[in-house]
Every structure is written in C-alpha cells, then in structure tokens.
Amino acid sequence: MEDLDSAVVLGMAAQAPDGIVITDSEGLIRYWNRGAERIFGFPAADVAGRSLDVIIPERHRKRHQDGFEAAMERGYSKYGEADLLNVPALAADGRRLSIEFSVVLLSGPDGSSYCGAVVRDVTARRERERELMRRRSEASV
C-alpha cells in the first residue's frame, strides 16, 4: 500500500465523516477536518492554533490536560488500540455533546510530536440508551 499517493490519504482525512483532529505537543489545534467542523460546529479557520479547551467543558479541562501531558511524556496513549475514550464535549452553539474517540501519537519529519484523534459524535445514541434505561426502570416499578 506504500504506492498510494499521500494526496489520496489526505483527501480521505479531509472528507471523512468522523472528526479528525491533530494537536501539537502544546495541545494547540493544527488540523481540523470537515467531520470535526460538522460535529462541533466550528470552522477549521476558527480553531486553528487554539487550545482544545474550545470543545472541552470547563470542569473536565484539568483532567484532560493532565492526561494529555502524561501521554505526550510517555510517548503513547492507552486510548489508541481497541479502547475508545467517552467524554462530554461542547459544540460551538453551546450544546453539550457525547463523543467517543481514539488517540494516536505522531512524529513529524523534524521529530516534533503531535496527538491525533478520530472523533465520533454519539450524542443521539447515548440519549436513546438513557431513554431505554428510563423505560426499563419505570416498567420494573
């Protein structure tokens, strides 16, 4: 597969329906695809160079920062293989979202470090699950 032109891979990343977000080692947004725009409602130009705090609810920011720094220091994330991280997030219009994502740590050609995430909005699914649990709870009373 090494003969696949990198422009094709970049085109796939740009158009993927899931969000693809890449931050630098400081946690500043360096890549934000169309899927991320759709999920969070922020155009890429509005978040470029900004902290991920723009989508992280305030009460979760310290925990995120601590986890991010630990992963960058270790050189790997425990949420990269089969594990997904499930967290709340914020949309541009202030709505609260439920997202799942996996994480990969990347190295640039100059040795700089990056953190990439593939993000999926699972808000509707979580709401259906809560409603089903509520109905089951009511039925058992």
Side-chain angles (χ1 to χ4, degrees), residues 38-87:
R38 179 187 59 78
I39 291 168
F40 298 108
F42 290 101
D46 290 357
V47 296
R50 291 179 66 186
S51 164
L52 279 175
D53 285 354
V54 70
I55 61 167
I56 301 172
E58 188 171 347
R59 71 182 199 144
H60 297 281
R61 290 178 186 164
K62 174 148 180 28
R63 184 173 174 194
H64 168 267
Q65 188 62 35
D66 291 347
F68 178 84
E69 289 173 1
M72 295 304 280
E73 189 173 307
R74 277 191 316 265
Y76 68 90
S77 170
K78 60 184 177 180
Y79 299 105
E81 294 291 326
D83 292 324
L84 290 174
L85 187 57
N86 298 288
V87 298

Side-chain angles (χ1 to χ4, degrees), residues 5-46:
D5 189 288
S6 61
V8 174
V9 177
L10 290 172
M12 171 62 186
Q15 296 179 46
D18 287 340
I20 299 177
V21 177
I22 300 174
T23 64
D24 62 19
S25 61
E26 302 299 314
L28 301 179
I29 299 167
R30 299 298 174 201
Y31 183 81
W32 186 267
N33 76 339
R34 188 182 311 176
E37 289 181 336
R38 179 187 59 78
I39 291 168
F40 298 108
F42 290 101
D46 290 357

